[in-house]
Amino acid sequence: AVKRLRKYAIIAGAAILLGAMVYFGVMLYNSLFARVRVPNLVMLDLETAVADLKELGLTYTIDERHNDEVSMGIVTAQYPDADTAAMPGARVQLTVSLGKEKLMMPKLLELTRSEAVHLIEENDLVLGEVKLVISQSPPGTVVEQSPPVNEWVKPGDLVNLTISGESAPMPELTGYTLSEAKSILVAAGF
């Protein structure tokens, strides 16, 4: 009976040892050779993309860049590409949109019209409405701007200017046709 018990104990011990070896062998194999497919993360919001990566055991880095076409917080590119086989724990680089780049509205007041237009174009802004007013400022200089100085603006925003003009007598236009009246006004500087 002792021999039979010893025999069963050896068989049970061998079975437990074999089971443990198989289990740890599978774990070692999975950690060394298992691969996961990188999901497509482009056009997902950052929170969703990060959750998808964590679920697959992948890590990530974030590269933020301004993008005129894509809203803030959306993934615009990834490396490695979608469907690439990766080891668990591998790093995926995400490029995330910061939205349109913002800048401070420059001071245009007291500049000449041409200097103001040059500065507007330099900052990738667009000249909007230009009004002429009679003022005490030198003729041809900016007396008002919209948006105001130091307000946040984005490339492509419109900038409206009010320019100082000179007072001049209004020419007599009675009796002229519309096209003749326009010609007289343009010649008089209006």
Side-chain angles (χ1 to χ4, degrees):
V2 173
K3 284 185 178 185
R4 190 183 296 165
L5 189 58
R6 196 180 294 168
K7 188 176 177 184
Y8 287 129
I10 290 172
I11 292 172
I16 291 171
L17 184 61
L18 182 62
M21 287 174 55
V22 168
Y23 175 77
F24 287 112
V26 168
M27 295 294 285
L28 180 62
Y29 177 84
N30 283 341
S31 67
L32 293 176
F33 301 107
R35 299 272 193 255
V36 294
R37 292 266 173 212
V38 176
N40 184 7
L41 305 167
V42 175
M43 298 313 288
L44 293 179
D45 63 273
L46 181 59
E47 188 176 313
T48 303
V50 166
D52 288 355
L53 290 174
K54 285 182 177 178
E55 189 176 310
L56 293 170
L58 299 170
T59 60
Y60 62 94
T61 57
I62 297 172
D63 178 26
E64 296 180 312
R65 297 185 183 197
H66 290 286
N67 189 311
D68 291 343
E69 310 296 321
V70 181
S71 300
M72 182 176 182
I74 302 297
V75 177
T76 59
Q78 70 182 70
Y79 180 81
D81 293 330
D83 291 328
T84 302
M87 299 278 290
R91 188 174 309 276
V92 177
Q93 182 176 337
L94 302 174
T95 303
V96 179
S97 174
L98 287 172
K100 288 186 176 184
E101 187 172 7
K102 293 182 178 179
L103 56 115
M104 294 288 265
M105 182 66 202
K107 180 182 177 188
L108 305 174
L109 301 173
E110 301 173 4
L111 296 179
T112 65
R113 182 184 192 278
S114 61
E115 290 170 335
V117 168
H118 179 71
L119 195 54
I120 288 168
E121 290 171 351
E122 246 182 25
N123 286 285
D124 293 325
L125 299 168
V126 177
L127 180 62
E129 185 179 341
V130 178
K131 294 182 195 172
L132 288 175
V133 295
I134 306 303
S135 78
Q136 308 233 335
S137 298
T141 59
V142 178
V143 293
E144 194 177 312
Q145 69 181 73
S146 174
V149 179
N150 294 332
E151 185 172 296
W152 286 107
V153 291
K154 295 182 288 254
D157 281 358
L158 288 177
V159 178
N160 299 317
L161 300 177
T162 303
I163 308 290
S164 175
E166 295 182 81
S167 62
M170 182 70 163
E172 181 59 48
L173 301 174
T174 307
Y176 290 101
T177 66
L178 182 58
S179 61
E180 291 170 335
K182 283 182 182 177
S183 298
I184 292 168
L185 288 172
V186 169
F190 288 91

